[in-house]
Each structure stands twice: as structure tokens, then as C-alpha cells.
Amino acid sequence: MHNFTINTYLKLIFLVSIISIISAYYIEYVLGHQPCNLCLFERIPYVLSIILIFINYIFKMNGKFIILLLIIIFFFSFIMSFYHFGIEQGFFQESALCGLKNANDILSKEELLKQLQIKAVSCKDVTFRIFEFSLTTINIFISLTFLTLLIKIFKNYEKLQN
């Protein structure tokens, strides 16, 4: 592990999280690749990490607690991405989550019929790749890297504090 401070590592996680979210919205809204429901859920840990790190810089909270929260966030990110990867590869069946739509938008039978006519993106369909890797595969790599890094930071917290 390099001799970076905890703040340097948090800034790196913050920057990669912002780039990940911006990239996801760019791919969706500019390039026109519609995400499945799991893809949308996989954005949540990045948004949470951005908010958490931002709040940490403003209020100077307990750094070790923030690191622990980030470990939990990226652990769930890794699990969710691994599950999505399993669906893409046919190891797991699609869950009901993959077919859910926002029930708040369906207020009438006409809206329900309109929703039934729209083809939802399946969680097993890969609509976008970077260097032949699905975004889910890239998310597994990022989540596992962050998780490993954060665990090392947590273990060596006092040493890295300087």
C-alpha cells in the first residue's frame, strides 16, 4: 500500500464515483442505451459514497466510521454486481426485481396498458460494453478494488492518519 493519506484515498474514491455516475448517465441519455433495473440499483452505492465523502469533508466526521460505512456500501455493491453478472451469464434466473416498474406512475388502466406495451430491458441483456466487458463486470472490478482498499485503510487507519 502506498504512503497516501486517508484523504487522498477518499478523494480517489470520490473522483471515480463521480466519473462512474456521469458515465452511466452519458451512456443512458446521450448514447441511448437503456439500463435494466439492476443497473439503476448499481448506481446507488456510487451516489451514497459521493454524498458520504462530501459530508465527511464538510463536517469532518469520524473518519474510521466513514471508512466502515464505505466498506459496507461497496460490499453490497460487489454482491449486487456479482448477482447481476450471474444473471448476464445465465448462472442465476432473473428475479422479480428485473421486471419491476415504478408502481407510482401507474394510476389508471390506460397507464397500465401503456406500461405493458413498453418492452423493459432485461437484466440478462448486455446493451453496452467497454473493451468487451459489460458495465456490470467493470462495476465488479471497481467495487472489489474499493472494498479491498477500504479494508486496508480501516486496518491501517492510525498509520495512515499522518
Side-chain angles (χ1 to χ4, degrees):
M1 201 162 161
H2 297 330
N3 291 329
F4 295 133
T5 64
I6 293 171
N7 281 336
T8 305
Y9 288 115
L10 290 178
K11 287 176 184 175
L12 177 67
I13 292 170
F14 184 81
L15 181 65
V16 172
S17 295
I18 286 179
I19 290 170
S20 297
I21 290 297
I22 290 171
S23 298
Y25 282 113
Y26 179 81
I27 291 166
E28 180 179 354
Y29 291 108
V30 176
L31 300 180
H33 293 273
Q34 291 303 307
C36 68
N37 286 344
L38 276 176
C39 290
L40 295 174
F41 282 116
E42 287 176 46
R43 295 176 186 178
I44 294 172
Y46 293 101
V47 172
L48 287 176
S49 70
I50 291 167
I51 292 169
L52 200 57
I53 293 170
F54 184 74
I55 288 172
N56 182 52
Y57 283 122
I58 291 175
F59 296 109
K60 304 294 182 201
M61 299 170 66
N62 181 348
K64 200 165 186 179
F65 180 69
I66 298 297
I67 300 298
L68 186 60
L69 287 177
L70 288 169
I71 288 171
I72 293 168
I73 288 169
F74 283 106
F75 173 75
F76 283 110
S77 177
F78 173 74
I79 296 298
M80 196 172 6
S81 298
F82 183 77
Y83 175 66
H84 192 181
F85 178 77
I87 290 173
E88 286 179 357
Q89 299 302 314
F91 301 138
F92 307 122
Q93 293 294 320
E94 283 186 281
S95 67
L97 180 66
C98 293
L100 287 178
K101 286 290 180 189
N102 189 354
N104 294 332
D105 293 339
I106 304 174
L107 300 174
S108 66
K109 64 180 178 181
E110 291 81 19
E111 282 294 319
L112 180 60
L113 288 172
K114 192 162 75 172
Q115 287 294 327
L116 290 172
Q117 292 173 348
I118 298 172
K119 185 176 190 282
V121 177
S122 171
C123 291
K124 62 183 172 190
D125 295 337
V126 178
T127 62
F128 190 81
R129 292 182 183 273
I130 298 174
F131 301 115
E132 295 302 314
F133 292 110
S134 71
L135 295 178
T136 300
T137 306
I138 294 169
N139 195 26
I140 288 172
F141 174 73
I142 293 172
S143 297
L144 190 58
T145 301
F146 283 175
L147 184 59
T148 305
L149 178 66
L150 288 163
I151 289 171
K152 286 182 180 182
I153 291 170
F154 189 79
K155 283 181 166 179
N156 300 310
Y157 187 79
E158 283 74 25
K159 214 185 317 180
L160 294 170
Q161 196 65 12
N162 301 328

